[in-house]
Amino acid sequence: MGIHRSRHHLLDSEEQTLVDAMVAPLPRDRFPVGGRPDDTTVQLLTQELLLDGNSKQNLATFCQTYQSASAMELMALGVDKNLIDKDEYPQTAEVERRCVSMMADLWNAPGEAIGCSTIGSSEASMLGGMAAKWRWRKRRQDQGLSTDKPNMVCGSVQICWKKFARYWDIEMRELEMRPGEMCITPERVLEAVDDNTIFVVPTLGVTYHGLYENVAAISDALDAYQARTGTDIPIHVDAASGGFLAPFCAPDLAPWDFRLERVKSINASGHKFGLAPLGVGWVIWRSPEDLPDELVFHVSYLGGDMPTFQINFSRPAGQVIAQYHEFVRLGHEGYRMLHQASHSNAMYVAEQLRQFGLFKIIHDGSPDQGIPTVVWTLDDGCSPGFNLYDLADRLRLRGWQVPAYPFTGTFDNQAFQRILVKRDFTREMADLLLEDIRVALKHFQKHPITSNLDASEAASYNHL
């Protein structure tokens, strides 16, 4: 009698719940009427997320893909704290203030600097741009001049600046690349600026190729322009990547920060080479006078004044707490050692790529030239029977995300390829990547490409 039990009685309640969940898909389009058990929901979501790429092999992203257990523990302390609510969470506000003060010191602010955290460097860029527009508009109004045609001058920039120009009705004068000029030059900047220029934006680590633009030379050119015309044009440095690299690994780099009086604001990304978890950027102004007060909302806490200037109102505090943790835990020497290891691994990869005899290195990751990224294209006159889009596609079979994409200007029809060498990209991973490139090249030799891929078919997300 007992042998013929039903299927249901062979399973305990937990197993039965799991079986039921296995044959019932998760809701996708309509809000569910009833709920589901927590543990099986977590299990199903965990399995679904396995279809994402391995973040450790995502060499396209500038964002950190490593976090220590201690940083994650601190993140949890801030998950229920709204960072903007400084009156309710004054100690968290104090941690943010300390971070701002430390970055002002790192970037050589001459006195009392002012700044804030943001969701990322894109928001930070827009805040720096808004302040520049307000300053320009006030100066023009005081002179009785028109304020209807503001413009900005920059090189080949990340899309956040194009968003800023569109959202805030600014004419973007983007100086695209041309032979021998991967970065903007002082001469081209002077050709583009005029009385309606709200600021010039050089980039400390251009997204396309990782090279540092020469902020000091641009500042000198604008000094001469002011002496000749009387027009004072400020600089905002987009240091999304380089702001947390150059102070540690390129101390002899020509001044790019607040040592230059013309630099009024700097943005950087804490979750890139600031080594913080995803979701934190920073913007710092040279002095309180450089952030127009009408853009600032004032709240009081502990009997004092706490100015706030962020687009996003509700956001967790954990990332800022974790950023402070990294500052304190690593210090100047810790950041230098970690970033120098990344630069070293980048230069190693670049040298190995040269030995293939197929690639022209645009940036080898050397710290005195730019960020720890390796950027290459096919060598001049090289026709190996495949293109970099084909190579990128082939590497994805092994899990690697190594984007191929065009540059701007005269290079808009030429493919380039890039890897970001971050904190958790070890020499072992470098060798594994190089071996997979070697295997891919052998595959192309054995199986010639009859129809090459193009950018629309094979290019992965490249953060441009």
Side-chain angles (χ1 to χ4, degrees):
M1 281 190 336
I3 297 177
H4 301 289
R5 290 179 298 178
S6 68
R7 177 182 61 84
H8 177 77
H9 291 101
L10 292 174
L11 304 175
D12 60 29
S13 60
E14 181 178 343
E15 291 170 328
Q16 184 62 51
T17 300
L18 178 58
V19 168
D20 293 341
M22 288 171 62
V23 297
L26 290 169
R28 298 177 183 177
D29 303 311
R30 296 183 179 274
F31 202 91
V33 175
R36 292 187 176 217
D38 178 70
D39 53 350
T40 56
T41 301
V42 169
Q43 184 172 350
L44 289 172
L45 281 171
T46 299
Q47 292 172 346
E48 183 172 337
L49 291 172
L50 290 174
L51 298 175
D52 279 342
N54 174 14
S55 65
K56 306 301 180 186
Q57 291 182 281
N58 183 358
L59 306 184
T61 182
F62 288 71
C63 302
Q64 284 302 311
T65 51
Y66 166 86
Q67 288 303 326
S68 65
S70 54
M72 297 304 292
E73 183 179 348
L74 288 168
M75 285 277 287
L77 293 179
V79 72
D80 59 348
K81 296 181 180 181
N82 186 359
L83 183 70
I84 207 73
D85 194 350
K86 302 181 189 300
D87 186 55
E88 184 68 23
Y89 306 115
Q91 203 56 42
T92 298
E94 167 61 16
V95 169
E96 182 184 25
R97 186 207 63 79
R98 293 176 189 175
C99 288
V100 168
S101 182
M102 288 179 176
M103 279 177 281
D105 174 63
L106 188 67
W107 298 335
N108 297 292
E112 180 192 2
I114 188 171
C116 65
S117 66
T118 60
I119 289 293
S121 56
S122 292
E123 181 189 0
S125 298
M126 294 190 188
L127 295 181
M130 288 171 64
K133 181 179 180 180
W134 259 250
R135 293 195 307 264
W136 169 83
R137 186 169 60 189
K138 178 67 164 58
R139 184 175 70 249
R140 298 280 291 181
Q141 288 172 340
D142 291 346
Q143 296 171 345
L145 300 173
S146 171
T147 62
D148 61 350
K149 292 183 179 180
N151 70 69
M152 62 175 285
V153 175
C154 58
S156 296
V157 289
Q158 205 260 2
I159 194 171
C160 72
W161 287 110
K162 298 178 181 180
K163 289 182 176 181
F164 165 73
R166 183 178 299 179
Y167 295 164
W168 276 272
D169 197 21
I170 309 291
E171 177 195 352
M172 172 180 278
R173 297 179 177 177
E174 183 178 5
L175 308 177
E176 295 184 331
M177 301 179 206
R178 58 192 188 188
E181 294 183 4
M182 292 290 187
C183 297
I184 55 174
T185 64
E187 294 77 17
R188 293 185 70 192
V189 168
L190 292 183
E191 291 172 0
V193 298
D194 58 29
D195 290 349
N196 289 318
T197 303
I198 65 171
F199 60 3
V200 174
V201 182
T203 303
L204 200 70
V206 176
T207 309
Y208 288 89
H209 48 60
L211 296 169
Y212 293 150
E213 295 191 313
N214 193 334
V215 183
I218 293 169
S219 179
D220 288 344
L222 292 175
D223 286 346
Y225 181 83
Q226 182 179 359
R228 186 172 70 255
T229 67
T231 300
D232 183 6
I233 300 175
I235 288 175
H236 171 95
V237 178
D238 184 348
S241 296
F244 284 115
L245 287 163
F248 307 111
C249 297
D252 296 327
L253 189 69
W256 59 271
D257 52 16
F258 294 124
R259 287 170 291 178
L260 301 172
E261 187 175 353
R262 195 165 293 279
V263 173
K264 302 302 181 184
S265 52
I266 301 171
N267 71 274
S269 193
H271 59 226
K272 292 179 183 173
F273 292 98
L275 305 182
L278 272 167
V280 62
W282 300 93
V283 57
I284 311 293
W285 286 271
R286 180 183 184 84
S287 69
E289 291 73 28
D290 295 312
L291 174 57
D293 194 60
E294 59 265 35
L295 290 174
V296 180
F297 292 83
H298 294 266
V299 298
S300 61
Y301 85 102
L302 297 181
D305 176 67
M306 172 58 72
T308 67
F309 178 36
Q310 286 123 322
I311 296 173
N312 293 282
F313 191 80
S314 298
R315 45 187 288 245
Q319 289 89 340
V320 169
I321 297 170
Q323 178 77 88
Y324 181 62
H325 163 264
E326 294 300 303
F327 287 174
V328 173
R329 185 176 72 88
L330 294 174
H332 194 285
E333 184 61 12
Y335 270 89
R336 186 195 67 78
M337 292 175 65
L338 283 172
H339 290 332
Q340 192 59 55
S342 294
H343 281 292
S344 176
N345 282 337
M347 291 187 287
Y348 170 77
V349 171
E351 181 55 36
Q352 296 301 307
L353 287 174
R354 286 191 184 96
Q355 295 182 22
F356 284 114
L358 297 172
F359 305 118
K360 177 181 180 181
I361 304 300
I362 305 302
H363 175 41
D364 67 355
S366 56
D368 59 331
Q369 297 295 317
I371 68 176
T373 184
V374 184
V375 183
W376 66 91
T377 188
L378 288 174
D379 211 349
D380 296 337
C382 180
S383 299
F386 68 89
N387 63 27
L388 295 185
Y389 300 115
D390 299 321
L391 179 57
D393 184 64
R394 190 72 193 169
L395 290 175
R396 285 184 75 91
L397 295 177
R398 291 284 293 163
W400 300 107
Q401 297 181 55
V402 183
Y405 53 93
F407 280 3
T408 66
T410 57
F411 302 103
D412 61 356
N413 287 316
Q414 182 176 350
F416 295 80
Q417 206 159 14
R418 182 196 69 213
I419 64 168
L420 263 297
V421 180
K422 301 183 289 293
R423 181 181 189 171
D424 53 352
F425 187 82
T426 63
R427 184 64 60 89
E428 176 69 15
M429 288 184 68
D431 285 332
L432 290 171
L433 171 65
L434 289 163
E435 178 59 24
D436 283 338
I437 292 175
R438 188 174 292 107
V439 170
L441 298 182
K442 289 181 179 178
H443 172 84
F444 293 137
Q445 289 178 343
K446 187 175 182 180
H447 304 282
I449 300 292
T450 57
S451 179
N452 295 111
L453 296 173
D454 59 30
S456 65
E457 295 172 313
S460 59
Y461 189 70
N462 51 42
H463 296 257
L464 299 175

